[in-house]
Amino acid sequence: MAKELTSRKENYSQWYNDLVIKADLAENSAVRGCMVIKPYGYAIWENIQQQLDKMFKETGHVNAYFPLFIPKSFFSKEAEHVEGFAKECAVVTHYRLKNDEHGKGVVVDETAKLEEELIIRPTSETIIWNTYKNWIQSYRDLPILINQWANVVRWEMRTRLFLRTTEFLWQEGHTAHATKEEAIEETMKMLDVYAIFAENFMALPVIKGVKTESEKFAGAVDTYTIESMMQDGKALQGGTSHFLGQNFARAFDVKYLSREGKLDYVWATSWGVTTRLVGALIMAHSDDNGLILPPKLAPIHVVIIPIHRNEEQLALITEKAESIRKLLESKGLKVKYDGRDTHKPGWKFAEYELKGVPVRLAIGPRDLENNTVEMARRDTLEKLVVSADGIDSTVTQLLDAIQENIYTRALKFREANTIKVNTWDEFREVIGVKGGFAYAHWDGTSETEARIKEETMATIRCIPFNGDTEEGQCVYSGKPSKRRVLFAIAY
RNA sequence: CGGGGUGUAGCGCAGUUGGUAGCGUACCUGCUUUGGGAGCAGGUGGUCGCGUGUUCGAGUCACGCCACCCCGACCA
């Protein structure tokens, strides 16, 4: 494992790009840093969306939609927020093109300059709070529990497929509450929703915690996060939930009259996850043969491949395969029968492994004689000849086993690569040489945090909710520390 | 915005002192194959990133421009 990890670390980018492109997930478009999400990749995102949306609704939220364009002036209202996003905003300055007089194609019509520039949303706090201002007068109007599925644009200097693209898809929840306690409860509740989704559906173990002052969301009082470990030992932030305090209510002057007749600013939260989750799935579970998808999010659960020598055989196998397909589909599984004769069985095996289909069934002449099928599981690549009778329950059980197995595998990997360090040498060993998470004491200052980042590239991923609370000495400065925090190099 | 690279067939690349544009793969046709990415034979496909110059002659040399990639600051 160690060697494999090392080699991946060196070629991670190449490995990842090859995989994604070959896996028919995405390709670079002509637009800088944007991505085309191909149908199969989008199907994974749709499954993520569907499940999360269900969980949001179960916790009392409703969906709505706000504009893509935000007037520039909205951004200047919350100082920290503009500080955090100003450097990565795409700005619309004109609204018309015209034909160039000198025949040089189409040019911007300078006479069509906007009076006030529009920002393409990097996140929607400002436009949503500008709207909430008109919706909230009394405690009877609260809480507002709204979620939006949308695209956003952040003009980052460096982009990376799925992890950091210029335009990405996400959901953003924006809630307004009468009390501080209620808002904090909401923040925690949604962090839990994300954690449960990650662990139960993505088979991705996560560490819940709070961000430090320097890593928190621009404009938040506190930012909570779920952090997970990728196969190269780096950390990936999977989702965030922010307690915004009264910052945005103050900035947009959103007050309500309480039961006691007192006028006060409302309390806010926001929370989101993005298409980065698809990247997390790829990097957490895949192997050198391609993707390994958790059955609960896989666009195809089972692929059936015929093995035949002639047309008559294919006809018989197809008949058998179709009956199995119908049976499996009646159990709610998504099944694909690939009876194309333009590709050989071996080619198809490799193809569906690349795509991460959890279970493959192969049916050949021998199986017709014996009433069997060859069943292969993607996570371990094991093959087993099983009876065609009761194939539905055999497959269902295997899918459950795969879901469980890849979660356990990821958890064990994380545990094996998470080390409590007590000295600076140990810290550098774990972060710089081995690769992984380091639990270390920290003196609580931003200065120390910045120094460590400068020297090792490692950042404090979070101050975990669970974990040691014993006191100690900062691994860098030697000053007193209240507790250990989680350090890692992050994507 | 700094540092370093690369632009030649759909993709990945070679192209020597300047002399008719190549290889692998993919694609198309035919035959044989089909239980782990088949074999053989034949074939399609290129304004060598763009422009200017040097030369009898430029993928190759010179100058200018453009695009993309990697590393930093930034970041879900």
Side-chain angles (χ1 to χ4, degrees):
Chain A
M1 198 55 165
K3 194 178 172 221
E4 200 184 336
L5 186 62
T6 313
S7 69
R8 283 224 182 123
K9 214 169 175 180
E10 282 160 8
N11 308 309
Y12 212 84
S13 181
Q14 190 57 47
W15 173 82
Y16 175 70
N17 285 334
D18 278 357
L19 177 69
V20 173
I21 290 163
K22 279 187 192 157
D24 212 22
L25 278 172
E27 63 186 18
N28 291 311
S29 78
V31 184
R32 177 200 166 281
C34 291
M35 63 176 168
V36 172
I37 307 178
K38 292 183 176 178
Y40 187 71
Y42 198 80
I44 299 172
W45 175 241
E46 278 178 326
N47 287 345
I48 291 173
Q49 268 188 307
Q50 201 176 9
Q51 181 55 39
L52 278 172
D53 203 62
K54 193 175 151 209
M55 293 170 86
F56 295 156
K57 282 169 183 160
E58 282 167 2
T59 44
H61 301 85
V62 291
N63 286 328
Y65 188 81
F66 295 86
L68 169 68
F69 300 115
I70 302 176
K72 191 180 73 179
S73 58
F74 284 18
F75 268 83
S76 50
K77 293 183 178 175
E78 216 289 336
E80 276 186 34
H81 192 66
V82 70
E83 175 81 10
F85 285 101
K87 283 176 284 185
E88 53 191 54
C89 287
V91 185
V92 179
T93 54
H94 294 77
Y95 59 86
R96 192 163 58 217
L97 299 173
K98 63 176 182 182
N99 284 317
D100 183 37
E101 291 163 10
H102 311 292
K104 290 186 178 170
V106 174
V107 296
V108 171
D109 186 343
E110 292 297 339
T111 65
K113 191 162 162 39
L114 288 171
E115 199 63 23
E116 177 179 1
E117 293 89 347
L118 295 170
I119 312 301
I120 300 178
R121 63 178 165 222
T123 179
S124 304
E125 272 79 2
T126 55
I127 196 151
I128 286 180
W129 278 91
N130 187 72
T131 309
Y132 281 1
K133 177 181 165 62
N134 300 320
W135 291 0
I136 299 169
Q137 271 118 38
S138 96
Y139 71 94
R140 290 191 185 90
D141 298 323
L142 296 170
I144 293 180
L145 305 172
I146 283 179
N147 176 63
Q148 156 167 276
W149 289 97
N151 57 340
V152 290
V153 167
R154 296 185 188 174
W155 216 265
E156 305 288 356
M157 284 298 172
R158 301 205 51 217
T159 60
R160 200 160 179 196
L161 223 52
F162 279 118
L163 299 186
R164 195 168 45 247
T165 43
T166 298
E167 177 185 0
F168 56 94
L169 307 183
W170 79 347
Q171 64 62 217
E172 46 181 329
H174 296 273
T175 67
H177 306 265
T179 67
K180 180 180 180 181
E181 292 68 32
E182 198 184 304
I184 290 175
E185 190 191 330
E186 166 78 6
T187 311
M188 294 303 171
K189 186 195 285 174
M190 298 322 287
L191 186 74
D192 279 336
V193 165
Y194 289 152
I196 290 166
F197 173 76
E199 303 203 327
N200 293 356
F201 289 86
M202 295 179 57
L204 189 65
V206 296
I207 295 169
K208 291 189 282 185
V210 62
K211 287 285 186 189
T212 60
E213 190 62 24
S214 62
E215 294 277 328
K216 76 177 191 190
F217 176 74
V221 172
D222 280 312
T223 289
Y224 299 89
T225 178
I226 53 171
E227 298 282 332
S228 54
M229 185 187 282
M230 301 295 106
Q231 288 183 72
D232 62 353
K234 285 195 192 170
L236 188 77
Q237 179 176 312
T240 47
S241 184
H242 314 289
F243 170 57
L244 301 174
Q246 294 174 309
N247 291 351
F248 284 91
R250 280 207 185 85
F252 289 88
D253 194 33
V254 187
K255 292 177 188 164
Y256 77 102
L257 208 51
S258 73
R259 203 182 299 257
E260 295 79 31
K262 188 171 156 262
L263 201 58
D264 195 9
Y265 291 111
V266 304
W267 298 83
T269 82
S270 69
W271 27 272
V273 298
T274 76
T275 35
R276 169 180 264 201
L277 288 183
V278 180
L281 274 183
I282 295 167
M283 296 203 300
H285 299 307
S286 299
D287 63 18
D288 292 338
N289 291 325
L291 293 178
I292 295 178
L293 292 175
K296 285 187 185 173
L297 294 175
I300 303 169
H301 293 118
V302 181
V303 62
I304 306 174
I305 296 170
I307 297 160
H308 61 282
R309 287 176 196 281
N310 51 50
E311 291 295 317
E312 300 89 88
Q313 269 182 2
L314 179 60
L316 288 170
I317 292 168
T318 299
E319 197 182 324
K320 179 86 176 175
E322 288 295 348
S323 77
I324 291 177
R325 183 169 69 84
K326 286 200 183 91
L327 178 61
L328 294 176
E329 281 175 349
S330 75
K331 304 292 176 184
L333 299 181
K334 280 165 276 182
V335 183
K336 174 167 182 170
Y337 172 60
D338 190 348
R340 289 179 296 173
D341 62 357
T342 50
H343 294 286
K344 294 180 58 175
W347 191 93
K348 293 177 189 169
F349 291 175
E351 175 71 6
Y352 292 103
E353 276 168 15
L354 202 57
K355 288 189 165 177
V357 176
V359 173
R360 179 186 72 233
L361 301 178
I363 305 174
R366 285 208 299 267
D367 298 303
L368 285 187
E369 278 177 34
N370 305 329
N371 192 36
T372 55
V373 296
E374 183 192 79
M375 181 172 78
R377 57 188 290 182
R378 177 64 186 88
D379 57 340
T380 61
L381 297 172
E382 286 166 326
K383 288 190 283 197
L384 201 62
V385 176
V386 299
S387 170
D389 295 331
I391 190 67
D392 49 340
S393 62
T394 312
V395 167
T396 308
Q397 281 167 29
L398 182 62
L399 287 169
D400 289 344
I402 293 171
Q403 181 80 29
E404 176 80 24
N405 179 50
I406 62 174
Y407 174 80
T408 308
R409 194 158 74 180
L411 182 61
K412 281 185 179 157
F413 179 82
R414 190 187 77 193
E415 284 170 353
N417 291 284
T418 302
I419 316 229
K420 266 192 200 177
V421 302
N422 295 309
T423 67
W424 185 237
D425 281 346
E426 282 175 349
F427 186 94
R428 298 198 75 129
E429 169 78 13
V430 170
I431 295 297
V433 185
K434 295 178 66 173
F437 289 0
Y439 270 115
H441 280 291
W442 165 59
D443 63 20
T445 66
S446 298
E447 293 74 40
T448 299
E449 193 182 0
R451 286 266 181 74
I452 292 175
K453 183 177 181 182
E454 210 171 292
E455 289 189 31
T456 66
M457 283 164 65
T459 49
I460 299 176
R461 299 321 303 152
C462 69
I463 302 166
F465 292 156
N466 302 313
D468 297 325
T469 49
E470 103 273 22
E471 299 189 353
Q473 288 173 338
C474 176
V475 75
Y476 186 84
S477 68
K479 291 179 189 161
S481 155
K482 289 201 181 85
R483 55 163 307 163
R484 288 175 190 272
V485 298
L486 183 68
F487 281 94
I489 295 176
Y491 276 100

